[in-house]
Amino acid sequence: MSEPVKSLPSPTSSGGHPAGSDTYKGWLYKWTNYLKGYQRRWFVLSNGLLSYYRTQAEMAHTCRGTITLATAHIEVGDTCHLVLTSGGRNYHLKATSDGESQRWVSALQQAKANTTHMMHQSDDSGDEAPVPQPDRALTQGALKTLASKLDDLSTCNELIGKHGTALQRSLSELEDLRTATDGTDKLKTVNERATLFRITSNAMINACRDFLDVAETHSRKWQRALQYEREQRHHLEETIEQLAKQHNSLERAWREAPSTHSDGGERRREGDASDENEDTEFFDAMEDSPAFITVTATDHTQHRSVRVDPGSDNMQRRRVRRSRIPDKPNYSLNLWSIMKNCIGKELSKIPMPVNFNEPLSMLQRLTEDLEYSDLLDRAARCESSLEQMCLVAAFSVSSYSTTIHRTAKPFNPLLGETYELDRLDDFGYRSICEQVSHHPPAAAHHVMSQRGWTLWQEITIDSKFRGKYISVMPLGCIHLQFHSSGNHYVWGKVTSTVHNIIVGKLWIDQSGDIEIVNHRTKDTCHLKFVPYSYFSRDLPRKVTGVVADSEGTAHHILSGTWDEKMESAKIVESSRGCGGSEGKQKTVYQTLQPKLLWKKYPLPENAENMHFFSSLALTLNEPEEGVAPTDSRLRPDQRLMESGLWDEANAHKQRLEERQRLERRKREAQATQALEEGQDFEGFQPLWFERRTDDSTGESTYVYRGGYWESKDRQDWSQCPDIF
């Protein structure tokens, strides 16, 4: 009935994988409601997630639900029952036998333990602070005392075993006595050994009492310390919430009387400008990477980068595209009233009106990463792979600059939806995206440039609503290959977090690490997006990085912010510096003057009333002739929202979502029928992309199969589905 999880004994039922598999599968009965009672479901336990389906065939296209074991509580009931509690919801499950129930419980508990262990190992949130030295000394002393008492217990245990054996032997000999003389001697021996046993037992009892006293004493101290920390944390949370409310009130007052603050705004802009004139940049230690400090060398032979201005002669050939869209209506809606019952759910599964959307789909947001494609054009002309890596790293950071004010949610693409961006005449590239999966939502993207590079990626969005903030975790890899050198770069994305869901002004932050690898030369770049903290002195939205060769030798230092600019400084000398935190030594790098790699373009005029769209974003949804009938530009709900007709947009959004649900149920019925007839069912297959194994990374990903631009040239869209 089930397949074994790793390190668990293999069950005897047929169809199981060998004992070494990382996945545990089988049938369980799940409580649905009082009308239908328990219903048979196919459960799959993998990577700390328990997913369930109506049938095995559904694994190819539809998941009915997923339980995260890291935060779940497992309770074993009677008569083959077990209850999982996760996210405030109870899942009542029932196995077919006691043995099957025990195997599932063992698999779930082991998977939960493994997941929790991995979370502790990979946690880089920065919430945990080092234990103060006095508390650490006290804790170490208590542990030593307990260890000493435990040694006493072990010694007493050995003596009790030894004397108990001797006493038992003497009693046996006493039973076999024949003469009175022998009896007197043996009785004396028995009394002596009984006395030794009694003394050792008393010592054992005293040692246990001492061990228990020490443990209880320190347990009470630790409980008081823990309670104090909880109270302090609660007080801090209340203080921060009050500050957020005050900040919100001040912003409202400023909007009502902005003229009284104009002088302060000018002074602030002057201060910001002066901050940019600093010549020296100091870097703190980075987690899981060599700590370093940079010192600018007094070498005046620095290189300066040239940035093409949008108004220069090189830009005059570009087609004139729209520079504005209708202003966003001022609709007020309480986000908390809608989302308070959705805590812990995936953001893509929360039904929300278009009031919280922006008039772009996720496919268009993915294409918007190409706003600074000129960085890749410059990188394609680089002869040094290390300098090329610097430009690739700047490009990976630049994709986040458009998100600083973009707290709205893009439209979830329909399955089979596409989006093309043809900029051959303007920027030398063509881009095509397709939604290849709906649960989980995944999009495939391919860009071909005539200026010497090709980019492709498959991105799956995993998002959670946590109450006060929303976390969006993009999963998948971005591939970039340069035609002349064959350099193949691979990297991922960091976590985006939208804060102040409950109270205050929404704001977004990017945090995490990006590891860029050149699979041809083995050069690497480690980028760290420093998370914002109320108590940190770091520059907000700070990004630091180190570019190293295949031997691990650092050659360039990267610095900047993900919303403004990135610079690189070439390392000319390195040495070991003074000790850092926790006794770690920092590496001191002496560098040349930093040169500008990338700087953000200014936003268009009136951007605050146009969803804070950049110049490129304003053109993404511009109507264009000849595109596929599945193109995001043709979505009626998105088009109506852009025009300011939000009520009509909501009606069309509900219609499209219901139609998509009907299509999904139709595919499920086909899969069930194929399973009953013993036939294979492939499920949904993308039209322009196919799954292949990448030669460099060995990973399976969706890649462009070709044919889209040829179909566009012929205007033959007969194979496209009708999704709108």
Side-chain angles (χ1 to χ4, degrees):
M1 296 293 294
S2 301
E3 299 175 0
V5 74
K6 190 173 183 180
S7 76
L8 287 175
S10 176
T12 58
S13 60
S14 62
H17 287 178
S21 171
D22 293 323
T23 304
Y24 196 86
K25 304 176 182 178
W27 291 103
L28 287 174
Y29 288 87
K30 176 182 175 293
W31 175 264
T32 54
N33 52 52
Y34 286 101
L35 293 177
K36 296 183 178 180
Y38 282 94
Q39 295 293 318
R40 193 166 179 253
R41 296 289 183 262
W42 179 254
F43 280 79
V44 178
L45 173 60
S46 178
N47 297 326
L49 299 176
L50 181 64
S51 305
Y52 57 91
Y53 311 82
R54 283 185 179 175
T55 63
Q56 297 182 39
E58 277 195 346
M59 293 177 62
H61 52 82
T62 304
C63 176
R64 296 292 172 176
T66 301
I67 306 170
T68 304
L69 292 180
T71 57
H73 174 69
I74 304 171
E75 182 179 350
V76 182
D78 53 356
T79 63
C80 310
H81 285 74
L82 59 148
V83 181
L84 299 181
T85 303
S86 177
R89 182 178 177 184
N90 294 330
Y91 297 85
H92 295 267
L93 309 177
K94 182 171 66 172
T96 55
S97 64
D98 289 336
E100 186 71 14
S101 175
Q102 292 174 4
R103 284 192 290 271
W104 270 107
V105 171
S106 299
L108 292 170
Q109 289 176 342
Q110 181 171 336
K112 175 179 171 65
N114 293 341
T115 305
T116 306
H117 178 66
M118 292 299 295
M119 288 178 62
H120 287 317
Q121 284 187 337
S122 61
D123 184 14
D124 59 352
S125 61
D127 292 339
E128 297 183 1
V131 180
Q133 291 298 329
D135 293 344
R136 181 176 295 178
L138 181 62
T139 303
Q140 294 294 335
L143 292 176
K144 288 182 179 179
T145 304
L146 291 173
S148 174
K149 295 298 180 181
L150 189 59
D151 290 339
D152 294 342
L153 290 175
S154 300
T155 303
C156 292
N157 183 51
E158 293 176 0
L159 291 174
I160 286 177
K162 177 181 177 181
H163 294 315
T165 302
L167 180 59
Q168 183 65 42
R169 187 168 59 250
S170 297
L171 289 174
S172 299
E173 293 173 352
L174 190 61
E175 292 178 355
D176 298 336
L177 291 181
R178 298 179 181 275
T179 63
T181 305
D182 292 339
T184 303
D185 295 338
K186 295 296 181 181
L187 188 59
K188 183 178 180 181
T189 301
V190 170
N191 286 331
E192 290 175 353
R193 292 179 175 174
T195 301
L196 289 173
F197 186 81
R198 185 174 63 256
I199 292 173
T200 308
S201 300
N202 290 335
M204 180 75 169
I205 294 172
N206 292 333
C208 289
R209 187 180 294 111
D210 292 342
F211 184 89
L212 184 62
D213 289 342
V214 173
E216 288 181 346
T217 300
H218 287 280
S219 175
R220 287 192 293 269
K221 291 181 180 179
W222 291 330
Q223 287 177 358
R224 288 196 297 269
L226 180 60
Q227 182 62 29
Y228 174 77
E229 294 297 333
R230 286 174 176 169
E231 292 174 355
Q232 290 294 101
R233 178 179 177 178
H234 181 67
H235 176 69
L236 184 60
E237 287 179 349
E238 290 181 343
T239 303
I240 291 175
E241 190 164 344
Q242 290 296 326
L243 287 173
K245 292 179 179 179
Q246 294 175 11
H247 180 72
N248 198 22
S249 300
L250 289 173
E251 280 192 340
R252 191 180 303 111
W254 185 88
R255 285 194 297 268
E256 293 173 355
S259 59
T260 59
H261 304 276
S262 59
D263 295 338
E266 293 294 332
R267 286 194 296 270
R268 179 179 178 182
R269 283 192 290 272
E270 293 174 4
D272 291 343
S274 64
D275 290 341
E276 294 181 0
N277 293 329
E278 297 181 1
D279 293 329
T280 305
E281 183 80 24
F282 294 95
F283 293 80
D284 293 331
M286 296 169 57
E287 296 180 8
D288 301 327
S289 64
F292 60 88
I293 302 175
T294 60
V295 181
T296 306
T298 58
D299 188 343
H300 300 287
T301 60
Q302 59 175 329
H303 300 281
R304 299 197 177 273
S305 61
V306 179
R307 176 170 158 265
V308 179
D309 189 89
S312 66
D313 294 337
N314 293 333
M315 298 293 180
Q316 296 304 319
R317 298 193 308 272
R318 297 183 181 177
R319 167 186 164 186
V320 177
R321 301 184 184 274
R322 68 180 186 181
S323 59
R324 65 171 294 109
I325 60 175
D327 287 356
K328 175 183 176 182
N330 186 20
Y331 286 170
S332 61
L333 195 61
N334 187 0
L335 177 63
W336 178 244
S337 65
I338 293 178
M339 302 188 70
K340 63 183 178 182
N341 296 322
C342 303
I343 296 177
K345 294 183 180 179
E346 292 185 19
L347 191 63
S348 60
K349 294 183 179 180
I350 299 176
M352 290 195 297
V354 299
N355 304 52
F356 299 116
N357 286 37
E358 61 179 16
L360 290 178
S361 73
M362 182 58 72
L363 302 181
Q364 291 165 311
R365 283 291 293 268
L366 199 61
T367 307
E368 198 177 346
D369 290 353
L370 299 172
E371 177 149 9
Y372 298 94
S373 62
D374 61 297
L375 290 170
L376 301 184
D377 298 341
R378 290 163 53 193
R381 298 190 295 268
C382 281
E383 296 182 358
S384 168
S385 63
L386 294 171
E387 292 181 1
Q388 188 179 73
M389 174 71 83
C390 292
L391 289 167
V392 172
F395 173 78
S396 69
V397 175
S398 69
S399 62
Y400 297 97
S401 63
T402 61
T403 66
I404 180 63
H405 301 294
R406 303 270 289 279
T407 55
K409 176 179 176 287
F411 280 79
N412 292 327
L414 303 176
L415 189 61
E417 185 174 333
T418 62
Y419 179 72
E420 69 157 75
L421 188 66
D422 190 344
R423 292 291 191 267
L424 277 181
D425 297 336
D426 301 328
F427 305 110
Y429 67 77
R430 275 178 164 179
S431 167
I432 175 65
C433 286
E434 183 177 8
Q435 188 76 359
V436 297
S437 173
H438 190 63
H439 287 300
H445 185 202
H446 182 270
V447 189
M448 178 66 180
S449 173
Q450 294 179 339
R451 299 178 182 176
W453 53 270
T454 300
L455 182 145
W456 68 97
Q457 60 181 317
E458 177 195 345
I459 298 297
T460 301
I461 301 297
D462 183 15
S463 52
K464 294 291 184 181
F465 175 50
R466 304 295 186 182
K468 293 185 178 181
Y469 62 91
I470 294 173
S471 295
V472 180
M473 295 79 69
L475 309 175
C477 292
I478 304 170
H479 297 256
L480 172 66
Q481 189 165 26
F482 291 98
H483 302 163
S484 60
S485 64
N487 288 336
H488 183 182
Y489 296 88
V490 180
W491 70 93
K493 286 181 172 285
V494 296
T495 298
S496 301
T497 306
V498 182
H499 294 271
N500 281 358
I501 299 299
I502 298 178
V503 64
K505 182 180 179 181
L506 294 176
W507 61 278
I508 195 167
D509 193 26
Q510 315 288 348
S511 60
D513 295 330
I514 292 179
E515 191 77 21
I516 307 176
V517 179
N518 183 343
H519 282 272
R520 191 184 73 85
T521 64
K522 306 305 178 184
D523 298 339
T524 60
C525 175
H526 182 88
L527 291 173
K528 182 177 181 62
F529 288 64
V530 181
Y532 178 79
S533 172
Y534 287 104
F535 311 106
S536 174
R537 295 183 180 180
D538 282 336
L539 185 70
R541 299 174 284 280
K542 180 179 178 181
V543 180
T544 61
V546 178
V547 174
D549 59 21
S550 59
E551 302 296 328
T553 303
H555 290 266
H556 295 272
I557 296 298
L558 305 180
S559 62
T561 58
W562 54 262
D563 68 320
E564 189 62 34
K565 65 179 180 179
M566 286 295 292
E567 297 176 336
S568 70
K570 187 174 183 179
I571 299 172
V572 295
E573 186 180 348
S574 63
S575 61
R576 305 298 293 180
C578 58
S581 60
E582 300 183 1
K584 295 181 180 178
Q585 275 193 321
K586 291 185 177 181
T587 302
V588 178
Y589 292 128
Q590 188 176 15
T591 67
L592 300 177
Q593 289 283 346
K595 64 178 182 179
L596 183 67
L597 294 173
W598 157 77
K599 188 172 184 180
K600 180 185 177 182
Y601 300 146
L603 289 176
E605 185 180 355
N606 195 39
E608 64 276 7
N609 295 321
M610 298 186 295
H611 308 273
F612 285 99
F613 281 178
S614 65
S615 298
L616 175 63
L618 288 173
T619 68
L620 293 180
N621 206 44
E622 185 176 8
E624 190 165 331
E625 296 181 357
V627 299
T630 54
D631 197 273
S632 299
R633 298 175 178 87
L634 304 178
R635 284 191 62 156
D637 52 351
Q638 188 172 302
R639 179 64 59 194
L640 288 167
M641 185 205 172
E642 182 184 276
S643 302
L645 305 174
W646 286 15
D647 292 336
E648 294 86 344
N650 274 316
H652 277 276
K653 183 172 183 288
Q654 294 176 8
R655 177 185 63 82
L656 291 175
E657 290 173 348
E658 180 59 30
R659 182 175 179 179
Q660 184 164 241
R661 283 190 287 268
L662 290 175
E663 290 294 329
R664 187 183 68 186
R665 286 195 286 268
K666 186 186 299 183
R667 285 193 298 271
E668 293 168 359
Q670 293 173 352
T672 303
Q673 182 179 356
L675 182 64
E676 293 174 352
E677 296 175 355
Q679 300 177 356
D680 294 332
F681 181 75
E682 294 183 350
F684 174 81
Q685 295 298 320
L687 193 57
W688 310 111
F689 288 82
E690 63 183 1
R691 185 168 289 281
R692 296 180 195 164
T693 300
D694 187 84
D695 295 334
S696 300
T697 63
E699 297 179 353
S700 178
T701 183
Y702 278 100
V703 296
Y704 179 56
R705 70 170 70 188
Y708 179 86
W709 303 108
E710 292 77 7
S711 295
K712 182 181 180 182
D713 292 339
R714 299 191 307 268
Q715 281 299 294
D716 178 13
W717 303 116
S718 57
Q719 53 186 328
C720 292
D722 179 16
I723 61 174
F724 298 143

